[in-house]
């Protein structure tokens, strides 16, 4: 039988780690409530927001070949395609022909600001993300055009030099019978030095199934984990920190990942100046 080390040092270490996790969890739960209220606020305005974005557009761009990245070619995150395997921004199309089959349509206003993104299927917009620009905050409202509901929400905050400071995405529950519910949140926070992008912190919140967890706990009540014995609740939040290295030409070529499992160094999946 595997025996858990329950020395005072081990108990204190577990408590310290869990306290950090619980602080993150508390922050993300407050964000969850704030974002749910934001979804409720914008839901009655979706039709007007779409129409305003379309009226303000003076030019369009198209892209394809994206894979698994938010907003395709114009994804706000500077790190996703550096650290996530198979993640592609795709490419902008230089010209449109009868054979063109774009994935995304980007709408820009007279100030060259992105105001809407259409996700296309056979040239039909199945989803429309409307972007609301307010000073240093850009809010993205991703709308399912079939049932006119919000499926995702995003927030980008920029500094005075127009460098992105943070990028948040939240998934909205598809269960329309219940009050607005945020299922998942991911928050990326960035810092810079003289070389460019220096660090990224990624905090993720995932909705857990407490019913299943309680059943599992009860079934193993005679063989509780140390954390359960300490009365520490499960935490739905994960935290990772990335430190980026720039080569002599200023390109990011590798990074160090720091998380509770340890520190590992990796090669960047693409070389880019940020």
């Amino acid at each position: 039988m595997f025996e858990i080390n329950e020395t005072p040092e081990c108990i204190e270490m577990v408590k310290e780690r869990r306290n950090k996790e619980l602080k993150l969890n508390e922050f993300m739960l407050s964000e969850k409530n704030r974002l749910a209220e934001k979804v409720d606020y914008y839901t009655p305005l979706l039709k007007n927001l779409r129409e305003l974005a379309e009226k303000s557009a003076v030019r369009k761009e198209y892209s394809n070949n994206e894979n698994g990245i938010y907003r395709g070619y114009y994804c706000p995150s500077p790190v996703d395609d550096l650290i996530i395997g198979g993640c592609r921004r795709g490419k902008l199309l230089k010209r449109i022909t009868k054979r063109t089959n774009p994935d995304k349509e980007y709408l820009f206003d007279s100030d060259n600001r992105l105001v809407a993104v259409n996700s296309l299927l056979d040239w039909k917009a199945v989803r429309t993300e409307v972007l609301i620009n307010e000073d240093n905050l850009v809010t993205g409202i991703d709308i399912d055009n079939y049932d006119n509901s919000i499926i995702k929400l995003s927030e980008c905050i920029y500094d005075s030099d127009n460098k992105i400071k943070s990028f948040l995405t939240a998934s909205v529950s598809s269960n329309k019978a219940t009050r607005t519910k945020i299922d998942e949140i991911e928050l990326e926070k960035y810092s810079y030095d003289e070389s460019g992008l220096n660090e990224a912190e990624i905090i993720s919140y995932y909705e857990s199934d407490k019913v299943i967890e309680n059943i599992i706990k009860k079934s193993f009540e005679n063989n509780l984990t140390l954390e359960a014995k300490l009365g520490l609740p499960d935490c739905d939040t994960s935290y990772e920190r990335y430190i980026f290295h720039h080569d002599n030409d200023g390109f990011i070529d590798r990074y160090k990942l720091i998380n509770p499992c340890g520190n590992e160094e990796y090669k960047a999946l693409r070389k880019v100046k940020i």
Side-chain angles (χ1 to χ4, degrees):
M1 175 74 69
F2 175 73
E3 192 169 321
I4 298 172
N5 179 6
E6 296 187 26
T7 63
E9 293 80 7
C10 182
I11 291 174
E12 285 305 311
M13 182 181 68
V14 171
K15 280 184 176 179
E16 182 181 357
R17 179 170 64 84
R18 294 297 278 174
N19 283 337
K20 289 180 181 178
E21 290 177 337
L22 291 170
K23 284 181 181 178
L24 283 176
N25 201 40
E26 184 179 354
F27 166 71
M28 293 304 267
L29 285 172
S30 68
E31 285 292 272
K32 178 181 174 182
N33 294 332
R34 180 183 70 84
L35 294 166
E37 290 178 0
K38 201 166 183 176
V39 170
D40 288 339
Y41 172 79
Y42 281 117
T43 294
L45 309 174
L46 296 183
K47 183 180 178 182
N48 290 338
L49 290 172
R50 246 190 322 242
E51 290 176 354
L52 286 171
E54 290 170 358
K55 286 179 180 177
S56 67
V58 297
R59 70 180 184 88
K60 298 178 181 180
E61 292 182 2
Y62 296 89
S63 73
N64 66 6
N65 250 3
E66 67 176 70
N67 185 46
I69 193 164
Y70 193 89
R71 207 179 289 164
Y73 184 83
Y74 286 106
C75 178
S77 170
V79 302
D80 283 1
D81 51 349
L82 293 177
I83 63 176
I84 303 174
C87 199
R88 293 195 309 269
R89 291 175 181 269
K91 61 181 181 178
L92 290 179
L93 299 172
K94 294 181 179 179
R95 63 193 188 98
I96 305 298
T97 68
K98 290 182 178 180
R99 295 184 179 181
T100 301
N101 190 23
D103 300 320
K104 291 278 192 291
E105 179 184 55
Y106 301 100
L107 283 65
F108 296 84
D109 67 10
S110 57
D111 294 321
N112 204 35
R113 298 180 304 183
L114 188 62
V115 292
V117 182
N118 287 319
S119 296
L120 304 175
L121 180 62
D122 296 328
W123 284 97
K124 290 183 66 175
V126 293
R127 286 167 54 179
T128 298
E129 183 186 16
V130 175
L131 301 174
I132 300 172
N133 295 270
E134 302 168 294
D135 298 324
N136 65 336
L137 170 66
V138 179
T139 300
I141 303 166
D142 203 355
I143 308 165
D144 185 331
N145 290 334
Y146 289 115
D147 64 4
N148 199 47
S149 65
I150 299 175
I151 52 180
K152 274 198 172 182
L153 199 69
S154 70
E155 292 180 338
C156 294
I157 297 176
Y158 295 86
D159 65 16
S160 57
D161 296 322
N162 207 33
K163 283 183 179 177
I164 187 166
K165 293 170 61 179
S166 66
F167 172 47
L168 177 149
T169 57
S171 298
V172 183
S173 172
S174 59
N175 186 355
K176 304 299 186 292
T178 60
R179 183 179 176 274
T180 299
K181 187 176 180 183
I182 304 296
D183 287 335
E184 296 180 6
I185 305 172
E186 185 168 281
L187 173 62
E188 299 180 4
K189 300 168 72 176
Y190 318 108
S191 60
Y192 303 83
D193 60 16
E194 63 278 1
S195 300
L197 181 66
N198 179 39
E199 291 189 18
E201 297 175 283
I202 301 180
I203 308 169
S204 302
Y205 171 86
Y206 301 94
E207 185 76 12
S208 63
D209 193 333
K210 298 298 183 186
V211 175
I212 294 176
E213 287 179 5
N214 289 334
I215 292 173
I216 293 173
K217 282 181 180 178
K218 287 181 180 179
S219 66
F220 289 96
E221 59 185 359
N222 295 323
N223 188 26
L224 296 175
T225 65
L226 174 58
E227 294 182 5
K229 288 181 179 180
L230 290 171
L232 298 169
D234 289 319
C235 188
D236 302 306
T237 306
S238 67
Y239 173 85
E240 293 178 331
R241 180 174 166 225
Y242 295 80
I243 301 175
F244 297 96
H245 176 270
H246 298 252
D247 64 18
N248 293 333
D249 296 319
F251 290 90
I252 292 177
D253 61 348
R254 65 181 189 275
Y255 62 88
K256 182 184 288 186
L257 168 60
I258 301 171
N259 62 22
C261 299
N263 303 341
E264 294 288 340
E265 191 165 292
Y266 297 91
K267 183 178 179 181
L269 296 176
R270 72 183 184 106
K271 292 184 71 172
V272 63
K273 286 184 180 181
I274 301 175

